[in-house]
Amino acid sequence: MNLIIKNIKELVQTETEPRRWVAGVAMAQLPTIKNAFLIIKNGLIENFGTMEEYRALDDRFYNGFSEMDATGRLVFPCFVDSHTHIVYAGSREQEFVDRIKGKTYEEIAAAGGGILNSAKRLQDTSEEELFKSAQKRLHEVINMGTGAMEIKSGYGLTLHDELKMLRVIRRLKDLNLIEIKANFLGAHAIPKDKTREEYIDLIVNEMIPAVAAEGLADYVDSFCDKGFFTPEETDRILKQGIKYGLRPKIHANQLATSGGVQVGVANNAISVDHLEHVGEAEIEALLHSETMPTLLPGAAFFLGLHYQPARKMIEAGLPIALASDYNPGSSPSGSMPFTMSLACIKLKMLPEEVINACTINSAYAIGLEKTHGSIAKGKVGNVFITQEIPGYSFMPYAFGTDTIDKVILKGKVFRE
Ligand code: NIG
Ligand code: FE
């Protein structure tokens, strides 16, 4: 709860003026303090600065605080993972093998695999079992530095099972480990036993009102892509979500130039996510919006899709957020450190840009920029301490290496 970390080699992503996000050329700037201290009081960041400034403080105010020495180590604000699907049943390594042998993600989905495969397994799994496996994943990602996240439904595809998933997400929230936002993704795939019209009517007329009545979601999502939901269908679903108090936050342009970005922006989505297929029209729509473009390089990596045009987007002046997309079909990893490495290596983003994208910008993408995503007075004291490493660029550089030593949530050590 009350903690002082001293002798920090470099304190990363410090903020003195509140920012909503960072965009364009500013993404290459990462504010840090060398030889720093950080004080967390009652779970919130109370103070930070240089060790010289620390020595000038009246230490009577910090009597009885736990102390840590971070000589040779960096301290980061925990990552914000703004796009995940960590509530699921089973796994899909058979489809992974099928893809190695040459089948595409869309072919597997069209043959009843993919999301429908996960939906069948989830429908056969109890809420309790789902909660246990999701809780395990939650602990796993916190240990990798994640300190706030979004989780989607979307493997239920019936009223009963979508509500079951969202109740699991609520139970994860109620653990009070990290801040969690819930996204209702009924529009993830069309179930086999319904026509498109029937299922979309069900989403609009029954699911959204039921989700809102129980207060189970913050956002409404739609997989607006080739072979899934059209922009017109997405528009109808998002408008109904808005009517029920859910802000849009959608899947767009993963498999094709789907019109998803434009329909998201037109409905003031907080973010549009994936964006493998982004051209001038999409960039133009995003430039004059409050919508955070969110890239999920883990899914492009795992599915062998081409990577998102991050450089073009940054050069056009856009902000970018990064997220893991942790799910059983297209990104079976919730590692934000690996996401950072992919973004550097494949999207040609600089380490500074990547750190901004995984902290302050991804915090905005789930409405948490006032409380998470940077080291700022009054923000939640969720931070991680690295191993002894030369500097912050070492983290994405040393891909697959565990460079985190300790994770601290609200001033308490979570990962020792
Ligand atoms: O974000 N693109 C749509 N949904 C998930 C994948 C779902 C699955 O294959 O299970 C994604 O990549
Ligand atoms: Fe996703």
Side-chain angles (χ1 to χ4, degrees):
M1 282 286 167
N2 292 339
L3 174 70
I4 302 179
I5 311 176
K6 291 187 200 168
N7 300 318
I8 302 166
K9 179 172 174 172
E10 193 164 7
L11 181 61
V12 174
Q13 190 61 297
T14 50
E15 186 175 70
T16 42
E17 291 291 315
R19 297 165 302 171
R20 295 179 80 195
W21 63 62
V22 286
V25 287
M27 282 197 75
Q29 279 150 35
L30 181 66
T32 72
I33 300 174
K34 292 200 169 132
N35 193 21
F37 75 96
L38 173 69
I39 297 176
I40 299 172
K41 185 177 172 189
N42 297 326
L44 301 179
I45 297 175
E46 165 83 3
N47 203 351
F48 61 93
T50 61
M51 280 307 289
E52 206 161 88
E53 287 164 337
Y54 176 75
R55 282 186 280 272
L57 292 178
D58 188 337
D59 57 11
R60 279 174 308 172
F61 294 116
Y62 305 116
N63 239 338
F65 279 47
S66 317
E67 285 195 21
M68 270 185 193
D69 182 86
T71 301
R73 295 156 199 277
L74 278 63
V75 173
F76 280 65
C78 279
F79 300 121
V80 177
D81 192 352
S82 62
H83 182 135
T84 83
H85 309 242
I86 67 162
V87 178
Y88 62 81
S91 52
R92 306 226 300 265
E93 63 277 4
Q94 185 52 49
E95 294 178 6
F96 170 63
V97 175
D98 292 342
R99 282 194 301 101
I100 294 170
K101 291 183 181 161
K103 284 221 170 76
T104 67
Y105 181 71
E106 285 155 290
E107 281 165 2
I108 291 168
I115 295 165
L116 294 183
N117 178 358
S118 285
K120 178 156 186 351
R121 293 174 194 235
L122 186 131
Q123 289 162 5
D124 293 339
T125 304
S126 69
E127 183 182 312
E128 193 53 34
E129 276 177 77
L130 282 173
F131 172 70
K132 281 198 186 127
S133 62
Q135 188 183 17
K136 232 170 131 178
R137 289 180 202 115
L138 177 64
H139 283 241
E140 180 201 10
V141 300
I142 295 173
N143 282 329
M144 293 190 284
T146 295
M149 70 195 296
E150 178 256 28
I151 310 174
K152 298 167 198 297
S153 69
Y155 292 123
L157 308 184
T158 67
L159 176 62
H160 171 84
D161 295 293
E162 284 295 310
L163 292 176
K164 181 170 82 180
M165 284 190 82
L166 290 166
R167 290 186 191 121
V168 169
I169 299 171
R170 184 169 59 192
R171 286 175 65 182
L172 296 172
K173 280 191 197 195
D174 289 346
L175 293 170
N176 278 322
L177 283 171
I178 61 171
E179 189 71 31
I180 292 174
K181 294 287 181 103
N183 194 350
F184 167 62
L185 176 57
H188 202 190
I190 310 278
K192 272 224 183 85
D193 62 342
K194 291 203 166 41
T195 64
R196 302 189 74 79
E197 292 67 31
E198 282 169 350
Y199 186 57
I200 293 163
D201 282 348
L202 179 72
I203 293 174
V204 167
N205 299 328
E206 294 184 42
M207 289 185 176
I208 289 175
V211 166
E214 270 193 62
L216 286 171
D218 303 288
Y219 302 113
V220 59
D221 201 340
S222 165
F223 186 7
C224 186
D225 228 314
K226 189 173 140 213
F228 291 86
F229 293 83
T230 66
E232 294 70 30
E233 291 164 347
T234 297
D235 188 59
R236 185 174 164 218
I237 292 162
L238 300 188
K239 289 208 158 56
Q240 178 74 337
I242 292 168
K243 207 171 124 192
Y244 280 85
L246 309 178
R247 186 159 174 195
K249 174 171 178 67
I250 71 168
H251 286 75
N253 299 50
Q254 177 186 18
L255 307 171
T257 307
S258 64
V261 169
Q262 287 84 341
V263 76
V265 168
N267 285 287
N268 192 30
I270 195 163
S271 74
V272 288
D273 302 12
H274 274 295
L275 312 185
E276 279 80 348
H277 297 266
V278 162
E280 299 304 325
E282 283 73 23
I283 290 177
E284 193 50 38
L286 284 162
L287 270 174
H288 309 288
S289 78
E290 302 260 290
T291 301
M292 178 61 67
T294 298
L295 310 184
L296 313 171
F301 168 74
F302 188 74
L303 296 182
L305 303 176
H306 69 77
Y307 285 93
Q308 297 87 352
R311 286 259 56 92
K312 220 167 86 180
M313 296 169 75
I314 293 172
E315 275 149 29
L318 285 175
I320 280 178
L322 288 162
S324 75
D325 197 20
Y326 196 175
N327 77 75
S330 68
S331 184
S333 160
S335 170
M336 289 301 281
F338 184 59
T339 303
M340 291 207 301
S341 296
L342 277 178
C344 287
I345 299 160
K346 296 296 187 182
L347 274 52
K348 306 284 180 222
M349 289 173 71
L350 296 168
E352 293 82 1
E353 292 171 333
V354 155
I355 295 168
N356 281 318
C358 292
T359 56
I360 188 69
N361 284 0
S362 51
Y364 174 85
I366 51 173
L368 293 180
E369 74 281 6
K370 292 202 177 93
T371 52
H372 293 72
S374 69
I375 303 292
K377 285 187 187 171
K379 282 197 172 183
V380 175
N382 289 1
V383 301
F384 64 81
I385 305 179
T386 67
Q387 309 279 0
E388 289 192 20
I389 59 173
Y392 56 72
S393 299
F394 186 86
M395 215 173 169
Y397 154 83
F399 79 92
T401 302
D402 186 5
T403 48
I404 295 178
D405 179 32
K406 289 187 173 52
V407 177
I408 289 158
L409 298 181
K410 296 178 204 140
K412 267 196 359 217
V413 179
F414 180 85
R415 170 176 167 180
E416 304 264 358

